[in-house]
């Protein structure tokens, strides 16, 4: 049995990772691909994943139609049903805790503002986002300081925290502040 978590990383048929997954899948009796995003940009991504688990599932014509969008959603769903299990929000909604959303505005420190302005002058969008979170790197940014306070509060209450970031550096900084109480990856 081959189980591939985060299988969306194997969607590009030209990538070495995808080739390795295809090679292993061809030598495995059973294959399970798990992903929350089988289609991010193009239907060809789903076709690529289906080719890994069951290459004969779609005919060449169906693959072409899926890629160019000429196949109906109903026909595509019927064709992939034997190999595609999708959990719907309605199926898992009862398992999820109630969503709590808090909006909190954090002012940048003077040092953070300098780094942010420099990135803005250079039209560096990612630099601006990093500066707003990570600051100048020499001291804690205001956002990281607030995150540390929140982590302490949630730890004291026995609560769990799920942190998302587009930037690895932000997660590494959060991990450094969280200590051993949280697993952040």
């Amino acid at each position: 049995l081959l189980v591939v978590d985060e299988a969306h990383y194997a969607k590009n048929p030209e990538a070495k990772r995808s080739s390795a997954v295809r090679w292993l899948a061809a030598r495995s009796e059973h294959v399970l691909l798990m992903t929350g995003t089988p289609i991010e940009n193009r239907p060809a991504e789903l076709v690529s994943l289906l080719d890994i688990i069951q290459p004969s599932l779609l005919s060449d014509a169906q693959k072409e139609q899926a890629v160019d969008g000429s196949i109906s959603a109903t026909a595509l769903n019927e064709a992939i049903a034997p190999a595609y299990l999708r959990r719907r929000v309605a199926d898992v909604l009862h398992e999820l805790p109630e969503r709590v959303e808090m909006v909190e505005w954090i002012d940048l420190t003077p040092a953070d503002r300098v780094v942010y302005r420099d990135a803005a002058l250079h039209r560096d969008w990612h630099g601006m986002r990093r500066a707003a979170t990570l600051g100048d790197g020499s001291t804690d940014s205001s956002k990281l300081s607030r995150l540390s306070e929140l982590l302490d509060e949630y730890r004291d209450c026995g609560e769990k925290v799920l942190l998302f970031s587009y930037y690895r550096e932000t997660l590494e900084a959060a991990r450094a502040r969280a200590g051993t109480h949280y697993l952040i990856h």
Side-chain angles (χ1 to χ4, degrees), residues 57-169:
L57 182 65
L58 297 175
S59 69
D60 289 342
Q62 287 173 313
K63 290 176 188 177
E64 213 172 286
Q65 291 171 341
V67 170
D68 69 20
S70 62
I71 192 170
S72 73
T74 303
L76 182 60
N77 285 338
E78 287 175 8
I80 66 174
Y84 183 66
L85 174 63
R86 180 175 181 206
R87 290 178 62 180
R88 296 173 308 190
V89 172
D91 296 336
V92 297
L93 199 55
H94 67 278
E95 298 173 15
L96 300 174
E98 186 175 321
R99 179 178 170 166
V100 177
E101 189 171 322
M102 287 185 338
V103 176
E104 189 171 332
W105 291 92
I106 307 291
D107 291 326
L108 298 176
T109 66
D112 297 347
R113 272 191 229 116
V114 170
V115 176
Y116 184 88
R117 261 192 229 116
D118 185 51
L121 288 172
H122 289 92
R123 297 178 185 210
D124 178 3
W125 171 249
H126 294 292
M128 292 166 58
R129 291 185 64 192
R130 283 186 181 102
T133 302
L134 300 173
D136 68 353
S138 65
T139 60
D140 265 359
S141 70
S142 51
K143 281 190 177 183
L144 287 177
S145 294
R146 180 62 181 135
L147 175 62
S148 294
E149 293 170 6
L150 289 171
L151 289 173
D152 288 342
E153 290 174 26
Y154 289 125
R155 183 187 60 240
D156 293 346
C157 294
E159 296 289 331
K160 295 179 182 179
V161 175
L162 183 59
L163 180 65
F164 293 95
S165 177
Y166 185 78
Y167 299 102
R168 179 172 283 156
E169 299 98 329

